[in-house]
Amino acid sequence: MKKTSTRLADGRELIYYDLRDDSVRDATDRRPLDRTVTTSEIRRDPLLGDSVAIASHRQGRTYHPPADECPLCPSEGDRLSEIPDSSYDVVVFENRFPSLAGDSGRCEVVCFTSDHNASFADLTEEQAGLVLEAWTDRTSELSHLPSVEQVFCFENRGAEIGVTLGHPHGQIYAYPFTTPRTALMLRSAATHKEMTGGENLFDAVLERELAGERVVLEGEHWVAFVPYAAHWPYEVHLYPKRRVPDLLGLDEGARTEFPKVYLELLRRFDRIFGESESPTPYIAAWHQAPFGALEEFDGVVREDFALHLELFTIRRTSGKLKFLAGSESGMNVFINDVPPERAAERLREVASS
């Protein structure tokens, strides 16, 4: 992998990740852009104890542009985009309309491929491996920023999810706090550790799932399963078999095997509801341990956390979406219409031939 860092016309950082070591990235951003001005601030909810990012400037972000005006495609001739070069393998750049900025963290965009009509599932194993390297590198770099406590790499796919740009891409949020979902996991891990005399909760969950009926696919280094209490109709958790707290901890064997396992998982997701409803909208989310202190979680250390990816779709059956209505949105109590065992069975049925 070759990494080349440059700056866009408004001062934002852009980084090329190339498969070839002899790639030259010296194109300049020719757009007449003013410096980006953001209004992001973090406000803490005194009742729930969580944080909300207030970012009114995002109202003006690019919304469903035609394909020939996509800001994530390479620049070509007089059509100038966020990527100055005429081609790329993987690109990461600071979001022009960030939810988090400055002392409130940082937001980045990850372009998986220059092919506008592709998806992550269309990548080769070599290309998917390069994306993994980019995620890992950005996790490392962002973790050293003084305002960052947790790094979250994710992909939203599909208009049903709320995606406003059709180009295959994901995002990275670098939060200045530990997110509520991660805090819940850490508290559960702390309670379990105390009650069992030191047993790791993530290890216990993985052991139970490996022995059960909800495993979707398994390799030497990775296992994907539908969790016992899945919140979403089709939800899969992908774990490395050797517990590590973040992407930086993956060994060479896990890095090498990941593209094959993950691409197969994404391709199965596209087959759940048949060809007429492919591609399947989904959210893919990496869960990593926070980089800040964990004193509030009663004896839990970073190494107790287990890196894993959660992949789920909001489609519950053909032509129908799972909406977060009263119970889910009002009380955070999910109601799942698809038994996890049936979801796992379906995902095994649609394996690649």
Side-chain angles (χ1 to χ4, degrees), residues 105-174:
R106 175 158 157 153
C107 291
E108 298 182 341
V109 176
V110 184
C111 298
F112 302 139
T113 172
S114 60
D115 184 352
H116 181 85
N117 297 312
S119 70
F120 200 118
D122 295 323
L123 301 182
T124 65
E125 290 185 20
E126 187 179 33
Q127 290 173 312
L130 183 61
V131 175
L132 177 62
E133 291 303 311
W135 282 331
T136 305
D137 180 71
R138 297 315 301 151
T139 296
S140 176
E141 293 291 326
L142 293 170
S143 71
H144 290 95
L145 296 180
S147 63
V148 171
E149 188 167 311
Q150 185 172 359
V151 179
F152 176 46
C153 307
F154 65 100
E155 180 192 1
N156 299 326
R157 185 178 77 165
E160 299 92 334
I161 297 293
V163 175
T164 58
L165 297 176
H167 196 103
H169 73 288
Q171 299 181 66
I172 301 175
Y173 277 22

Side-chain angles (χ1 to χ4, degrees), residues 66-123:
D68 60 356
E69 297 178 17
C70 175
L72 306 185
C73 288
S75 293
E76 185 176 355
D78 293 330
R79 191 185 65 78
L80 306 178
S81 73
E82 290 280 65
I83 295 90
D85 216 323
S86 59
S87 66
Y88 65 85
D89 291 337
V90 173
V91 165
V92 177
F93 61 88
E94 289 184 76
N95 198 320
R96 191 177 179 186
F97 304 96
S99 303
L100 310 166
D103 293 339
S104 297
R106 175 158 157 153
C107 291
E108 298 182 341
V109 176
V110 184
C111 298
F112 302 139
T113 172
S114 60
D115 184 352
H116 181 85
N117 297 312
S119 70
F120 200 118
D122 295 323
L123 301 182

Side-chain angles (χ1 to χ4, degrees), residues 15-309:
I15 306 160
Y16 295 97
Y17 293 90
D18 286 294
L19 292 168
R20 292 173 55 97
D21 290 336
D22 59 354
S23 297
V24 176
R25 300 298 184 186
D26 56 6
T28 59
D29 186 1
R30 295 180 283 129
R31 297 173 297 170
L33 297 180
D34 294 328
R35 275 213 173 280
T36 299
V37 177
T38 64
T39 58
S40 298
E41 63 171 306
I42 301 297
R43 297 186 182 180
R44 189 163 181 81
D45 186 319
L47 295 181
L48 298 180
D50 59 8
S51 298
V52 178
I54 308 297
S56 60
H57 62 277
R58 283 173 52 79
Q59 290 281 31
R61 65 189 184 274
T62 308
Y63 187 80
H64 293 299
D68 60 356
E69 297 178 17
C70 175
L72 306 185
C73 288
S75 293
E76 185 176 355
D78 293 330
R79 191 185 65 78
L80 306 178
S81 73
E82 290 280 65
I83 295 90
D85 216 323
S86 59
S87 66
Y88 65 85
D89 291 337
V90 173
V91 165
V92 177
F93 61 88
E94 289 184 76
N95 198 320
R96 191 177 179 186
F97 304 96
S99 303
L100 310 166
D103 293 339
S104 297
R106 175 158 157 153
C107 291
E108 298 182 341
V109 176
V110 184
C111 298
F112 302 139
T113 172
S114 60
D115 184 352
H116 181 85
N117 297 312
S119 70
F120 200 118
D122 295 323
L123 301 182
T124 65
E125 290 185 20
E126 187 179 33
Q127 290 173 312
L130 183 61
V131 175
L132 177 62
E133 291 303 311
W135 282 331
T136 305
D137 180 71
R138 297 315 301 151
T139 296
S140 176
E141 293 291 326
L142 293 170
S143 71
H144 290 95
L145 296 180
S147 63
V148 171
E149 188 167 311
Q150 185 172 359
V151 179
F152 176 46
C153 307
F154 65 100
E155 180 192 1
N156 299 326
R157 185 178 77 165
E160 299 92 334
I161 297 293
V163 175
T164 58
L165 297 176
H167 196 103
H169 73 288
Q171 299 181 66
I172 301 175
Y173 277 22
Y175 298 101
F177 51 80
T178 297
T179 61
R181 189 174 176 85
T182 302
L184 282 174
M185 292 184 196
L186 290 168
R187 292 190 187 100
S188 295
T191 300
H192 185 86
K193 189 174 185 178
E194 181 180 5
M195 293 180 63
T196 60
E199 182 182 61
N200 183 276
L201 175 60
F202 294 96
D203 291 350
V205 167
L206 189 57
E207 181 180 0
R208 181 177 72 173
E209 294 294 356
L210 279 167
E213 59 181 316
R214 290 179 296 275
V215 172
V216 174
L217 59 90
E218 182 178 357
E220 180 182 355
H221 301 279
W222 295 87
V223 60
F225 58 87
V226 177
Y228 171 74
H231 288 57
W232 299 91
Y234 290 91
E235 174 182 340
V236 175
H237 293 188
L238 178 63
Y239 275 69
K241 290 184 177 179
R242 183 179 70 86
R243 173 166 44 91
V244 295
D246 51 43
L247 289 165
L248 283 70
L250 293 174
D251 59 25
E252 191 59 34
R255 291 185 181 282
T256 300
E257 186 181 74
F258 171 78
K260 180 178 181 180
V261 173
Y262 188 48
L263 289 171
E264 171 62 18
L265 190 57
L266 293 181
R267 290 161 186 167
R268 291 191 192 191
F269 253 62
D270 278 342
R271 298 189 188 99
I272 295 174
F273 306 104
E275 291 186 7
S276 63
E277 296 200 47
S278 181
T280 298
Y282 66 69
I283 293 175
W286 281 110
H287 291 262
Q288 306 192 80
F291 288 94
L294 302 181
E295 285 88 352
E296 64 180 290
F297 301 109
D298 297 328
V300 170
V301 296
R302 287 196 81 248
E303 288 69 27
D304 289 328
F305 193 86
L307 167 76
H308 63 283
L309 181 139

